Amino acid sequence: MTRTSSAPAVTRTSSAPLRSPVAALLAVLLAASGVLLGAGGAQAAGYRYWSFWEGDGKSWAYATQGPSLVRPDDGTVQGFRFAVSEDSADADRPRHAPDFGAICADTPAKGGAKRIALVIDPGTAEDAPDGEEPPALRTACAQVAPDASSAEALASVAKPLRYDSSAMICAISGYPKSGCGEQVSGDGSKKDGSGKPTDDASASASASSAPAADDGGSGGGPSAGLLLGIGAVLLLGIAAVFQARRRR
């Protein structure tokens, strides 16, 4: 006699059809997130401006006050550097040593006056506005009244100067011909190997420092809208995964 098993047959449902679309969906989500984050990085921008520096004989430090406010002592070394940078922490130093003895060697001391050594560095061709060529880096020894400001010392050796309404230096010796702290789009990378300042000081409104980023989030990181978009995409993906699981 042939025995027939009464046990019900077990139906096995393969999970492969489910895993495949879920894996594809996750891959798409990861790719979309990468594209969106990449777009945020591409929005990094800098500002083209003259930065103001103070030297200690060996190195440069970003000035915490503007040249119109600083009244340097005799024997001080100060620098001005034109470049594209995001902020004070990213700014390029003057490409000349802050050596008072060398800069003012041919300017003897005089009673009733002080000597300020100045390094004026117009930067590189990469940082220059379109259609302009930066003049050569130069040094000067300004001999000015004892109570003169850094701006007055600069004016005595590097006219014409141009300022904006907030007392930010726009041009030294006529360079550049136009513009003042304008935003320049880019990837935020350094354009030369001159290094970065070690301090994180931010100059006052009257300093020749980078303008603050606008309210539209034009700085180097992703904007709030971009982050919200990424979050929405991820939420949709999670919802799709749960929906697929419920259909199993």
Side-chain angles (χ1 to χ4, degrees):
M1 177 182 295
T2 303
R3 292 182 178 181
T4 303
S5 176
S6 61
V10 177
T11 302
R12 297 180 180 272
T13 302
S14 174
S15 61
L18 173 63
R19 290 174 182 170
S20 179
V22 170
L25 175 60
L26 290 175
V28 171
L29 289 174
L30 289 173
S33 299
V35 170
L36 289 172
L37 288 173
Q43 292 176 353
Y47 298 88
R48 181 181 287 119
Y49 69 104
W50 281 99
S51 56
F52 177 42
W53 299 81
E54 296 176 331
D56 62 4
K58 295 181 180 179
S59 60
W60 293 105
Y62 199 92
T64 57
Q65 289 184 302
S68 62
L69 299 177
V70 176
R71 299 189 181 278
D73 295 328
D74 179 74
T76 298
V77 186
Q78 297 182 325
F80 295 85
R81 172 67 192 267
F82 188 77
V84 174
S85 55
E86 293 182 34
D87 50 37
S88 61
D90 182 65
D92 290 319
R93 297 182 179 95
R95 297 168 298 164
H96 190 285
D99 188 342
F100 177 84
I103 296 172
C104 289
D106 297 329
T107 305
K110 184 173 66 174
K114 64 182 178 182
R115 294 176 298 167
I116 309 300
L118 298 173
V119 175
I120 303 169
D121 185 354
T124 67
E126 291 178 307
D127 292 322
D130 291 341
E132 294 200 54
E133 184 71 22
L137 180 153
R138 70 187 183 95
T139 62
C141 187
Q143 198 160 49
V144 291
D147 63 345
S149 67
S150 300
E152 291 170 324
L154 179 65
S156 71
V157 298
K159 290 182 179 179
L161 303 181
R162 178 165 54 85
Y163 291 85
D164 70 358
S165 58
S166 64
M168 177 176 173
I169 292 182
C170 302
I172 297 177
S173 296
Y175 179 78
K177 296 178 181 178
S178 61
C180 192
E182 66 272 17
Q183 191 174 26
V184 180
S185 62
D187 61 3
S189 60
K190 302 304 294 179
K191 296 180 180 297
D192 59 31
S194 59
K196 298 181 181 180
T198 56
D199 66 317
D200 195 29
S202 60
S204 65
S206 61
S208 54
S209 62
D214 59 28
D215 294 337
S218 57
S223 65
L226 177 62
L227 294 176
L228 287 174
I230 294 174
V233 171
L234 292 176
L235 286 175
L236 287 173
I238 293 171
V241 171
F242 277 108
Q243 185 66 22
R245 288 180 178 274
R246 292 180 61 186
R247 292 175 180 174
R248 294 179 60 181

